[in-house]
Amino acid sequence: MPGVVVGVSGGVDSSVAVHLLKEQGFDVEGVIFKQVNAPSCDTDTMCCSASAIEEAREVCRQLKIPLHIKDLRDIFDKAIIQPAIASFAQGKTPSPCTSCNSKVRSVTLNYVRQVLGLEYFATGHYFDVSPSDGIVSRGLDSNKDQSYMVSLVSKDYFKHWLAPLGKYQKSEIRTIAANLGLITATNPDSQDLC
C-alpha cells in the first residue's frame, strides 16, 4: 500500500485524518513540528505546544503509528514569526498561517515524505485536492473550509498532499474521534498564533 506521513498537531482533525487514511489502506506515519519556545504559550488551543506534542504522541500510540518530531523553531521564527511582527509594526495585517502553509508546512512535510520514502503527505485541513492534477477546491463543510489556508502553496506540492477531511463535516469528525475513544475528541479548535 502507498505510504503517507500525516502532519499531526495534537488536535482532533489531524487525529481523525490519521484514522481515515489507515481505513483507506495507507501505511501511515505521523510527524509533529516543534515551532515555538515559550512555555507561557502552552495552551490547549495552540497546535504546536508541549501539551499538543504529548497528545500527538498519545494519539499515535492509540492509532498504532510511529511519530516523528521535527524541531523547526529557528526556521519558523525566521520565516513566519519575525516577518509577522515586522508586518504588524508597519500597520499591516499579516496572514502567518497561510505563510506557514506555503513556506514551512508544505515544504517540510514534502521533505519528510521524501526522507521516509513515502508517496504522500497529509494534514487535517478542510479542503479537497486532486493529487493527479493538483487542483484544490473547497471542503464540504462551508463553516470549516480551509482552502484559503493553502492558497499560497505551490501547486507542485498538491500532487503529494492528501486532505482526507475535505469530504466531511466537522461534526462528523468529532463523532468519529469520540467513537474511537481518541483523547483529542473534545479538544477545542486551535485559535492562537504559534
Side-chain angles (χ1 to χ4, degrees):
M1 289 310 290
V4 57
V5 60
V6 179
V8 295
S9 65
V12 65
D13 296 327
S14 62
S15 301
V16 174
V18 167
H19 166 74
L20 292 172
L21 291 165
K22 283 187 71 175
E23 287 288 301
Q24 292 173 29
F26 286 94
D27 290 327
V28 181
E29 298 190 34
V31 64
I32 189 166
F33 302 141
K34 187 171 187 178
Q35 299 175 161
V36 294
N37 289 317
S40 62
C41 294
D42 190 22
T43 68
D44 290 338
T45 60
M46 185 177 235
C47 66
C48 53
S49 64
S51 61
I53 291 172
E54 288 310 309
E55 287 192 334
R57 277 191 180 122
E58 179 57 22
V59 164
C60 290
R61 187 196 63 74
Q62 284 181 285
L63 295 173
K64 298 178 174 58
I65 67 164
L67 177 66
H68 308 276
I69 300 172
K70 299 294 179 195
D71 189 339
L72 300 181
R73 290 176 290 186
D74 289 341
I75 293 168
F76 191 76
D77 184 64
K78 289 175 187 160
I80 307 303
I81 295 174
Q82 294 308 316
I85 291 169
S87 186
F88 278 126
Q90 295 172 5
K92 297 177 182 175
T93 305
S95 182
C97 294
T98 55
S99 295
C100 178
N101 282 318
S102 65
K103 295 178 182 176
V104 178
R105 184 168 288 131
S106 61
V107 175
T108 307
L109 282 169
N110 192 57
Y111 173 76
V112 171
R113 172 193 73 77
Q114 292 172 320
V115 167
L116 295 174
L118 304 174
E119 290 84 352
Y120 300 103
F121 64 87
T123 59
H125 285 96
Y126 288 82
F127 67 89
D128 203 10
V129 62
S130 171
S132 63
D133 57 16
I135 301 292
V136 173
S137 56
R138 291 182 175 175
L140 178 69
D141 189 334
S142 61
N143 292 317
K144 285 297 294 179
D145 173 59
Q146 294 175 310
S147 55
Y148 69 94
M149 294 295 287
V150 296
S151 60
L152 301 178
V153 174
S154 169
K155 185 177 176 180
D156 291 337
Y157 288 114
F158 292 113
K159 295 174 184 171
H160 299 282
W161 194 335
L162 303 178
L165 304 189
K167 299 196 183 319
Y168 288 87
Q169 298 287 332
K170 176 70 177 211
S171 58
E172 294 176 287
I173 297 304
R174 289 221 180 263
T175 299
I176 292 168
N179 290 341
L180 292 169
L182 297 178
I183 63 165
T184 56
T186 59
N187 281 9
D189 290 347
S190 61
Q191 298 291 323
D192 293 323
L193 273 177
C194 293

